[in-house]
Amino acid sequence: MKLTILASPLADRDVLRRAERLADRFNLEPRIVTDPEDVPDSPTVALVATGGTEDTIEALLERSSAVLLLHWHSYNSLAAALEVGVSTLHVGRAEEAIRAFKRLVGTRILVVGGKCSWIRGPDPSDLPYLQTVEVDLEDVKSVDPDGSFEEKLRAHGIDPSELNRNFLDLAGKLHAVLSQYGANAITGDCFSLYEEFGAVPCLYFSALDVPYCCEGDPAALVTTLLTPARIRPFIGNVIELDRYGTRLAHCACPLELLRELEIVDHMETGAPHAVKGVLPTGECVLARYPYAVGASVVETRWRDDQCRVQARLLVEEEFEPRGNHHCVALGVGPELVKEIFEAVHLNPSPSSE
């Protein structure tokens, strides 16, 4: 990946050499751009190196599908970005953001059957900054199941011999396709899979050790990839709102998060297999790109008429949900997530908002 160095044509050569050394520090290939006509259209990390770059910044944000925009404290760098009215991140705090950005544009994502019809954002395959592999249901049906995923179930104390055969067939076929295409993330039309196989992928998604999101929701997928949590986030639907916070629920959840794990039926279809369990209490980030807020998981109260993993969150500031799925990320502070989201500029947005 490149570091696009945005500089004035009058910039001193020593300034540019310093920027090139910064690229080496972040393991990026430097490219100096002084003319707005020369900005790339591919995803890039960009440093506003000097003042006099306002037109170049605007051209980059218009042309490139994804930009992580950085500044430093010298050479009128921040002043140029502020003149354009865009958010940037200081290079001294950029390492985690660069890792997240590389994950966003470098992850190979398996999209099975597209998105569910009710997701209002674009299809993941229509977002130019995502590396998607589109697979239709016929492709899934045609492969032989790969049972190696069952080891992931056993690692969590789940005996595959006690699970529904339709689920095992679906999960095995998804695992085979995931491996076949060398993908390291997954999403898709979960309900079309249910109609075709008589099972849902909730438990399979939960048992994997790669990023996932349900229903082909691009905003949830982008949020998951950009959030620098050590543990995959829980992605839940907003089911209640009040002045203090919200309750979320969903039928998939990373198994590494859950206590008191049970394998249950999916709430909406009654199909095998969903997961039920208790999230750990404590501080977290509640996020859906480009929005993030600090929160705390305070309790789990279970109701039969809601999805199977349920958690109540107290939110630190006013929370106005945008869209369906929201990510609950543990082990990461809200300020870091907010800084990353603000400095990453995506064209087009993954959300319908």
Side-chain angles (χ1 to χ4, degrees), residues 9 25 27 38 47 49 53 80 94 102 115 133 145-146 176 180 185 204 214 225 234 236 248 268 271 309 322 330 350:
R25 170 185 158 192
N27 194 28
D38 294 333
L47 170 67
T53 53
K102 287 181 175 180
K115 64 172 184 175
V133 178
D146 177 357
Q180 175 183 336
Y204 175 68
C214 302
L225 295 172
F234 168 58
L248 302 181
E268 288 179 284
V309 176
R322 297 285 189 271
L330 305 175

Side-chain angles (χ1 to χ4, degrees), residues 72-86:
W72 52 13
H73 284 327
S74 305
Y75 312 110
N76 287 318
S77 169
L78 181 58
L82 291 175
E83 180 66 20
V84 177
V86 294

Side-chain angles (χ1 to χ4, degrees), residues 61 64-66 122-123 126-129 222 289 345-351:
L61 294 178
S64 177
S65 58
D123 193 288
D126 292 333
L127 298 177
Y129 43 84
V222 166
Y289 180 87
H345 303 269
L346 300 178
N347 184 24
S349 170
S351 172

Side-chain angles (χ1 to χ4, degrees), residues 10 75-76 99 113 143 149 164 197 203 206 242 287 293 311 323 325:
L10 304 177
Y75 312 110
N76 287 318
R99 279 195 288 270
V143 301
F149 81 95
N164 178 276
F197 291 93
L203 174 58
S206 301
D242 59 41
V293 62
H325 304 107

Side-chain angles (χ1 to χ4, degrees), residues 83 87 147 299 310:
E83 180 66 20
S87 297
E299 66 174 350
Q310 304 170 18

Side-chain angles (χ1 to χ4, degrees), residues 6-77:
L6 307 179
S8 163
L10 304 177
D12 187 275
R13 182 61 201 172
D14 287 341
V15 175
L16 302 182
R17 279 196 290 266
R18 180 183 169 192
E20 289 172 329
R21 289 195 296 271
L22 185 70
D24 289 338
R25 170 185 158 192
F26 291 131
N27 194 28
L28 299 169
E29 180 185 345
R31 178 189 178 187
I32 297 170
V33 174
T34 59
D35 186 332
E37 295 297 321
D38 294 333
V39 298
D41 57 8
S42 56
T44 187
V45 180
L47 170 67
V48 182
T50 72
T53 53
E54 288 82 357
D55 289 346
T56 311
I57 297 170
E58 289 181 333
L60 178 65
L61 294 178
E62 180 178 342
R63 187 176 303 173
S64 177
S65 58
V67 178
L68 171 59
L69 199 59
L70 309 177
H71 73 273
W72 52 13
H73 284 327
S74 305
Y75 312 110
N76 287 318
S77 169

